[in-house]
Amino acid sequence: MRSRFFKANSDSPDGESGVFYCEVRDAEIVRHVGVYAGVMYWATPTDEYDERYAFTDQPEFDRAEYHAEITAAEFEELWRAALRQR
């Protein structure tokens, strides 16, 4: 099954407002990026940028929580930028 990509307004664990982006495959989140205060916190099931922003403990995707679908190109550009922060 091919991936789809979504975004939603979100709050960080520290209470910062931001945006959460995710890749969804077979009704589960497989990669995500949270952007809070100009920092891109990325995560996969096996790795993350910052352990405080680890991969979601609820990977089941609920479309009702997301306000927009984005393109694969938009997500991949964001993902590459997030990875460059290392």
Side-chain angles (χ1 to χ4, degrees):
M1 176 171 228
R2 78 189 234 311
S3 294
R4 293 176 68 187
F5 305 88
F6 298 88
K7 71 178 184 177
N9 295 325
S10 179
D11 291 326
S12 76
D14 297 327
E16 295 277 347
S17 293
V19 182
F20 182 85
Y21 301 87
C22 64
E23 175 182 2
V24 177
R25 191 176 314 130
D26 295 328
E28 290 208 359
I29 296 171
V30 296
R31 292 189 290 174
H32 62 70
V33 177
V35 181
Y36 307 103
V39 180
M40 301 170 144
Y41 298 94
W42 61 267
T44 69
T46 59
D47 201 7
E48 71 265 332
Y49 176 73
D50 182 322
E51 66 185 25
R52 294 178 307 135
Y53 296 82
F55 189 72
T56 181
D57 62 351
Q58 299 174 4
E60 302 80 19
F61 181 70
D62 180 356
R63 176 65 174 100
E65 296 177 13
Y66 294 83
H67 66 270
E69 187 164 0
I70 63 172
T71 68
E74 289 171 308
F75 183 86
E76 292 302 335
E77 182 177 331
L78 180 74
W79 184 257
R80 285 189 300 273
L83 292 179
R84 285 193 299 267
Q85 293 182 124
R86 277 196 150 181

